Amino acid sequence: MKKRYLLPIMAVMPLSLFAQREATVTLKTNEANQKISKHIYGHFAEHLGTCVYGGLWVGEDSSIPNTNGYRNDVLEALKEMKVPVLRWPGGCFADEYHWTDGIGPKENRPKMVNNNWGGTIEDNSFGTHEFLNLCELLECEPYISGNVGSGTVEELAKWVEYMTSDGDSPMANLRRQNGRDKAWKVKFLGVGNESWGCGGDMYPDYYADLYRRYAVYCRNYDDNRLYKIASGASDYDYNWTETLMRKAANQMNGLSLHYYTVKEWGPNKGSAINFNKEDYYWTLGKAIEIKDVVNKHIDIMDKYDPRGRVGLLVDEWGTWFNEEPGTINGHLYQQNSLRDAMVASLTLDIFNQCGSRVQMANIAQIANVLQSVVLTKDDKMILTPTYHVFNMYKVHQDATMVPLDITSDKMDVGGKGNRTLPMLSASASKNDKGVINITMSNVDADNDQTVTLNIPDVKIKSTKATIITAKDISSHNTFEKPEEVILKDFKGVKVEKNGSLKVKMPAKSIISIQVN
Ligand code: AHR
């Protein structure tokens, strides 16, 4: 029997006494039969702070190098990382957004106050065309979040027509007048966002009825087929899911869910970079609780939709810390450390393995807001530790998931229900060329971990590995030092005589192994 260390969080200090941890991972290659949807590697761009303006879009006349207004450095980074789907324009912003303000000549577009996010003046220079053209550049699917809170059924119905109708229809002709002849393909349509809160403060019964009404008038034009998504619950609100499924499951393709790794709502969320080991472990414990939360929502969905037709879309997830000191209040600008990288790897491991019900996930948000993959300052851009995880994990997009048996030490990290954190997280997949990719995180802040990796029935010819780690759990990239946390080649993988792999994982590291 393997010895397990069960350490209470108060005993974090003595952890360094353990010189070496051990874990075993066994791939069940013969049971690999389910695809990991690339859409669980999705992103989210809201009109919030400098996510869109400054982060993605600088405008054609900017001195910052750009392609049709999109900054080149960010475009290049996002293409490399592979964005499969991008949600826009919110978030809370979506339920105050009137799409007709964001079309036509820029000089005629009205301004508005971004009431949700710091009262910033929004000039609508980034609108429907700018967003959908960006998706074409990134070769990703657009996910439009429609205004239910302060909009009308007619307004959303016409937006759908404007984007997707190729006929001689009034909205298609308006689009043509604005310079776009061919309709875009828009599959994912969100009908409201957080309708229980910033999206209209509705009760679930009321929203379910409203959802049904909106869904009727959001039409399929020509060969465009909408995938309609109802605004879903926040983390532990199971009653919302229950009501929506009971009243409107037949009218929806997907139901959303938001889960943030946040200590508490309010001013004490903690700093993104000044934290101790206790905070680190607490955060990881909270992050992996998403698995239980997702499963509980799935149980409810199974009751009303036993065939699993309706998707669960975790269309907002990620860390939420205090805004960086000196930044604009309400812009949610936060730094990103190795701890965020761990949150990303652990969460993606969960999504990789949570089955076909979870059809999409979108980390919040793509640039300069919450757990971003890029941070920008004027003409400079840095890649965050979270970026490197998404870049490392892109091998799993649309590959076949390989189930795993994992034996590792665990730690009691406190929190709701006294959370337990396994010291090793992993996921694996096989691509269409037969290449197996395994990603593993040694979450231990102090101790290396030797992992025995068994891959039965596979004759290993060669392996190639990369690693993300850094000096401290709080290490992060800055505009002055952009390479404190990056992806590097890793040489700690050995093929044993018995055909298994021995992997010496440094403390607080994330690695990816390609097995050929
Ligand atoms: O991602 C930031 C905000 O968090 C979104 O606008 C909202 O949907 C959620 O509360």
Side-chain angles (χ1 to χ4, degrees), residues 196 204 232-243 257-258 293 297 300:
W196 41 263
S234 176
D235 40 49
Y236 312 97
D237 184 358
Y238 303 109
N239 180 47
W240 186 274
T241 297
E242 177 90 38
T243 310
L257 171 68
H258 291 177
V293 172
H297 286 282
I300 298 166

Side-chain angles (χ1 to χ4, degrees), residues 95-374:
D95 280 291
E96 283 206 65
Y97 181 63
H98 300 285
W99 68 272
T100 48
D101 295 347
I103 55 168
K106 295 224 159 87
E107 59 279 14
N108 297 342
R109 297 188 190 178
K111 292 189 168 61
M112 68 176 280
V113 184
N114 192 336
N115 290 304
N116 283 289
W117 306 118
T120 306
I121 298 301
E122 157 73 53
D123 71 1
N124 278 305
S125 56
F126 190 95
T128 303
H129 290 245
E130 289 75 21
F131 172 66
L132 293 174
N133 292 343
L134 171 64
C135 291
E136 286 185 340
L137 274 176
L138 293 175
E139 296 179 24
C140 75
E141 292 215 47
Y143 171 2
I144 294 284
S145 195
N147 181 345
V148 170
S150 71
T152 64
V153 178
E154 181 187 8
E155 184 183 359
L156 186 53
K158 284 188 167 161
W159 198 8
V160 172
E161 182 189 327
Y162 185 89
M163 293 184 287
T164 62
S165 161
D166 247 335
D168 184 22
S169 80
M171 289 301 109
N173 287 332
L174 180 59
R175 185 192 68 234
R176 290 185 188 106
Q177 266 176 41
N178 290 329
R180 172 78 184 200
D181 182 28
K182 255 194 87 49
W184 292 279
K185 283 273 171 282
V186 177
K187 177 176 172 186
F188 299 109
L189 179 74
V191 180
N193 167 76
E194 297 195 348
S195 302
W196 41 263
C198 66
D201 208 4
M202 303 176 203
Y203 291 114
D205 275 286
Y206 176 76
Y207 170 71
D209 291 341
L210 202 55
Y211 170 81
R212 292 172 64 107
R213 184 164 160 239
Y214 270 77
V216 170
Y217 300 99
C218 294
R219 311 280 191 190
N220 290 326
Y221 289 95
D222 306 301
D223 59 351
N224 193 68
R225 290 289 166 272
L226 293 173
Y227 178 107
K228 297 173 196 167
I229 301 153
S231 166
S234 176
D235 40 49
Y236 312 97
D237 184 358
Y238 303 109
N239 180 47
W240 186 274
T241 297
E242 177 90 38
T243 310
L244 264 290
M245 287 303 290
R246 179 168 46 77
K247 294 191 79 170
N250 288 342
Q251 284 72 26
M252 62 175 87
N253 300 99
L255 177 62
S256 75
L257 171 68
H258 291 177
Y259 184 90
Y260 282 101
T261 297
V262 60
K263 199 165 163 203
E264 59 182 68
W265 295 109
N268 299 320
K269 299 185 194 81
S271 161
I273 44 175
N274 296 313
F275 58 88
N276 59 28
K277 239 179 266 179
E278 190 173 339
D279 298 325
Y280 167 79
Y281 285 119
W282 186 93
T283 303
L284 300 190
K286 168 76 179 172
I288 63 164
E289 193 165 87
I290 197 171
K291 186 174 175 180
D292 292 344
V293 172
V294 162
N295 283 336
K296 284 190 178 132
H297 286 282
I298 290 177
D299 285 347
I300 298 166
M301 295 177 81
D302 285 347
K303 205 163 81 182
Y304 295 96
D305 172 36
R307 284 169 44 212
R309 186 191 60 81
V310 180
L312 181 65
L313 286 77
V314 190
D315 60 13
E316 288 185 30
W317 68 272
T319 57
W320 195 321
F321 300 115
N322 288 342
E323 295 173 310
E324 291 305 321
T327 61
I328 297 173
N329 197 5
H331 280 197
L332 309 189
Y333 180 89
Q334 72 187 39
Q335 248 295 358
N336 197 292
S337 74
L338 186 59
R339 174 175 66 171
D340 293 86
M342 284 290 175
V343 169
S345 66
L346 268 51
T347 308
L348 291 172
D349 283 340
I350 290 167
F351 289 155
N352 281 345
Q353 296 167 92
C354 67
S356 57
R357 179 73 83 173
V358 179
Q359 295 177 8
M360 190 192 293
N362 309 70
I363 189 168
Q365 301 194 4
I366 200 160
N368 297 330
V369 169
L370 300 178
Q371 194 179 347
S372 309
V373 290
V374 296

